[in-house]
């Protein structure tokens, strides 16, 4: 029996050595190593081998299989090299033809804006603090001083999970409490952080609203932080982001977690304040919400509001990108359409 296997091996290797083209090579493979090939057949015969010889037999057939497989792969390479050499010699391969251009990978427009924001805020002394995407509604709302019946708590706006009170954060503001807990050392240390991240809202997807988007939150806590610090910081940010001559204005507004609260506008950088389609002919673009951290929020983060004060702001990187490039449909950001992404 071993002799038979030996014969098959010699015969197979001799046949292989004489093969010079791809088709013959495949025929050889089917004959010896295929589903219904000779090696398979030998393996199938194992039942008919006397019990005491079965182990040796099996081993021999397996060795044969390994040997033939390796020989095949080696010969396949040789043939491919020979074919290439032949093509080069006969001029079938024109190595002077230009190659296929490949697009190098690029960063997503939101990633680019975020990195620009990190850089600016880092230069201004703000550290990045990453807070969680999946939040407790206590952090997302209650500790941020949302009254119990505030409309933002509505099921319409929030993605709930199957776990009780666990939601996807609707804004990055809960990170304010998380940062105070993690960095405040029981309300005894100043803080200066930015909190970037994805937010989620259960909304109708339209050209102006998406169910997911980034926000970049800012938080500064110290002993003598005043509204003028907030205004100066935001104005400096706008100059670094939009150019030395960028003008900002603050409009009184309302957020539960800040008091007083303000909306920040920057003079429209598309038309220079003249009025255009992008700024809806107002000359101003809204870029952030902001305010002085509400005493209740300071308290909920472990700080004594009679000693400590702070400011906070929240901005939308997609919105900024949208304005910067005059993009009119926010759905472009997560549609994964290369025609859009390649433009950046
Ligand atoms: N969390 C607010 C929102 O999602 C944005 C915001 C407004 C954040 C004012 C702040 C702030 O930190 O001070 O609309």
């Amino acid at each position: 029996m071993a002799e038979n296997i030996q014969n098959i091996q010699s015969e197979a290797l001799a046949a292989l050595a004489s093969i010079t083209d791809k088709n013959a090579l495949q025929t050889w493979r089917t004959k010896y190593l295929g589903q219904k090939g000779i090696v398979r057949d030998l393996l199938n015969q194992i039942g008919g081998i006397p019990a005491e010889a079965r182990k040796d037999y099996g081993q021999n057939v397996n060795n044969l299989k390994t040997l033939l497989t390796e020989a095949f792969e080696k010969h396949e390479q040789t043939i491919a090299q020979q074919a290439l050499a032949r093509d080069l010699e006969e001029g079938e391969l024109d190595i002077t033809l230009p190659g296929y251009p490949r697009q190098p990978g690029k960063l997503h427009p939101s990633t680019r804006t975020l990195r620009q924001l990190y850089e600016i805020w880092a230069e201004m002394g703000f550290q990045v603090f990453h807070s969680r995407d999946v939040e407790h509604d206590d952090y997302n709302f209650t500790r941020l001083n949302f009254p119990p019946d505030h409309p933002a708590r509505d099921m319409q706006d929030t993605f709930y999970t199957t776990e009780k009170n666990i939601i996807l954060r609707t804004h990055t503001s809960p990170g304010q409490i998380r940062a105070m807990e993690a960095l405040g050392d029981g309300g005894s240390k100043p803080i200066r952080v930015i909190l970037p991240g994805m937010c989620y809202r259960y909304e109708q997807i339209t050209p102006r609203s998406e169910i997911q988007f980034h926000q970049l939150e800012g938080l500064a806590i110290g002993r003598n932080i005043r509204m003028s610090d907030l205004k100066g910081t935001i104005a400096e940010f706008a100059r670094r982001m939009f150019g030395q001559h960028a003008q900002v204005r603050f409009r009184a507004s309302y957020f539960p977690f800040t008091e007083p609260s303000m909306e920040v506008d920057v003079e429209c950088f598309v038309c220079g304040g003249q009025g255009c389609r992008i700024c809806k002919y107002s000359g101003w673009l809204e870029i952030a919400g902001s305010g002085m951290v509400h005493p209740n929020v300071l308290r909920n983060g472990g700080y004594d509001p009679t000693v400590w004060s702070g400011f906070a702001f929240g901005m939308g990187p997609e919105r900024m990108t949208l304005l910067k490039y005059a993009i009119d449909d926010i759905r472009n950001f997560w549609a994964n359409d290369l025609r859009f992404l390649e433009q950046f």
Side-chain angles (χ1 to χ4, degrees):
M1 209 59 220
E3 211 174 295
N4 182 27
I5 292 177
Q6 193 59 53
N7 286 341
I8 291 173
Q9 180 178 315
S10 319
E11 184 196 299
L13 291 179
L16 185 66
S18 69
I19 288 174
T20 54
D21 75 283
K22 270 191 193 165
N23 288 342
L25 192 66
Q26 288 313 321
T27 312
W28 182 93
R29 180 170 35 193
T30 312
K31 177 173 174 190
Y32 289 98
L33 297 166
Q35 286 298 329
K36 294 180 181 152
I38 290 174
V39 172
R40 183 83 268 180
D41 194 42
L42 288 172
L43 282 170
N44 289 342
Q45 287 173 29
I46 200 157
I49 305 293
E52 66 277 10
R54 217 171 270 162
K55 191 168 162 227
D56 279 348
Y57 177 82
Q59 232 162 39
N60 287 338
V61 178
N62 273 328
N63 289 343
L64 175 69
K65 185 177 172 187
T66 311
L67 190 129
L68 292 187
T69 307
E70 280 168 8
F72 171 84
E73 280 164 5
K74 203 162 152 220
H75 199 66
E76 190 180 35
Q77 263 185 20
T78 313
I79 285 185
Q81 275 160 8
Q82 283 167 353
L84 185 65
R86 214 180 310 120
D87 285 350
L88 279 173
E89 220 157 82
E90 292 169 6
E92 265 184 46
L93 188 71
D94 183 355
I95 56 170
T96 65
L97 277 177
Y100 294 108
R102 297 249 166 144
Q103 280 283 351
K106 288 179 188 169
L107 292 177
H108 191 279
S110 291
T111 309
R112 292 162 61 110
T113 306
L114 273 169
R115 290 194 182 178
Q116 192 187 359
L117 293 171
Y118 296 164
E119 208 172 297
I120 293 173
W121 286 113
E123 283 168 5
M124 291 171 65
F126 285 74
Q127 239 181 310
V128 173
F129 182 87
H130 286 288
S131 185
R132 57 194 73 187
D133 289 39
V134 181
E135 259 299 358
H136 201 285
D137 68 6
D138 190 38
Y139 281 80
N140 197 80
F141 299 121
T142 315
R143 292 189 197 211
L144 288 173
N145 200 39
F146 277 76
D149 54 354
H150 193 281
R153 289 171 176 253
D154 203 315
M155 294 276 273
Q156 314 273 289
D157 297 342
T158 307
F159 279 114
Y160 282 78
T161 68
T162 47
E163 210 140 321
K164 193 162 182 280
N165 300 328
I166 304 296
I167 62 167
L168 299 186
R169 65 174 168 200
T170 59
H171 53 172
T172 44
S173 303
Q176 289 189 28
I177 307 277
R178 299 274 177 201
M180 287 187 237
E181 287 176 347
L183 309 173
D185 206 7
S188 66
K189 291 224 171 89
I191 291 181
R192 195 155 53 182
V193 289
I194 51 167
L195 309 128
M198 193 67 92
C199 305
Y200 310 85
R201 287 192 199 163
Y202 188 36
E203 284 191 58
Q204 183 81 22
I205 299 176
T206 71
R208 317 222 106 244
S209 64
E210 251 289 4
I211 56 170
Q212 64 172 66
F213 51 89
H214 287 99
Q215 278 190 350
L216 188 130
E217 188 93 7
L219 176 69
I221 293 183
R223 283 179 189 270
N224 283 305
I225 293 189
R226 291 172 295 188
M227 183 106 127
S228 52
D229 296 311
L230 168 58
K231 292 177 79 173
T233 304
I234 294 278
E236 178 57 26
F237 162 77
R239 283 193 284 274
R240 291 178 187 232
M241 182 79 189
F242 302 110
Q244 263 320 303
H245 302 289
Q247 298 287 328
V248 288
R249 73 174 184 188
F250 297 83
R251 273 179 298 118
S253 185
Y254 170 78
F255 299 102
F257 36 90
T258 44
E259 182 58 36
S261 304
M262 297 175 296
E263 220 111 38
V264 183
D265 295 342
V266 61
E267 196 173 50
C268 180
F269 40 76
V270 179
C271 63
Q274 296 301 303
C276 69
R277 192 173 63 85
I278 301 298
C279 62
K280 301 210 193 87
Y281 302 95
S282 72
W284 295 93
L285 299 167
E286 187 191 316
I287 57 157
S290 68
M292 300 306 290
V293 181
H294 196 288
N296 288 347
V297 175
L298 283 170
R299 217 173 276 122
N300 291 338
Y303 284 84
D304 177 354
T306 62
V307 182
W308 298 88
S309 57
F311 66 72
F313 56 84
M315 42 186 67
E318 275 84 42
R319 198 179 138 71
M320 281 183 192
T321 314
L322 211 107
L323 296 172
K324 186 166 163 197
Y325 295 104
I327 300 163
D328 54 12
D329 194 329
I330 199 170
R331 294 172 298 183
N332 283 320
F333 283 98
W334 318 123
N336 276 338
D337 186 336
L338 284 179
R339 288 170 303 179
F340 170 75
L341 297 172
E342 276 171 355
Q343 292 176 44
F344 297 90

